Amino acid sequence: DTKYAGFGRKENKNNTAGVTGVSFAKEGKYRAYIYVNRKQIHLGVFDTLEEAAKARRVAEIKYFGPRQKMADEIKKTL
């Protein structure tokens, strides 16, 4: 299940930006972040929602990719 590794997490009901890990920042910009091991990692402030969402997706692959590979290998052995 991809949710195990952090990919495709359900969007929080309070999320107003519409993308998990993206929030509104000052002056109409968007802030991207990700939680890893209960710590928030700031990914940057972007002019558009699309740029912030892309940064979040790249971070998911970086931080959760190895964990997902491990989960997939365990599923194969079961």
Side-chain angles (χ1 to χ4, degrees), residues 28-43:
K29 296 189 179 203
Y30 296 90
R31 178 179 171 270
Y33 59 92
I34 192 167
Y35 281 93
V36 177
N37 297 328
R38 297 185 184 184
K39 294 186 181 179
Q40 188 181 82
I41 298 172
H42 176 71
L43 302 174

Side-chain angles (χ1 to χ4, degrees), residues 7 19 43 50 52-62:
F7 291 103
V19 177
L43 302 174
E50 291 78 19
K54 182 177 179 183
R56 168 61 193 219
R57 282 191 301 275
V58 168
E60 284 179 356
I61 292 167
K62 177 181 177 183

Side-chain angles (χ1 to χ4, degrees), residues 45-57:
V45 178
F46 303 90
D47 292 327
T48 66
L49 178 62
E50 291 78 19
E51 290 173 329
K54 182 177 179 183
R56 168 61 193 219
R57 282 191 301 275

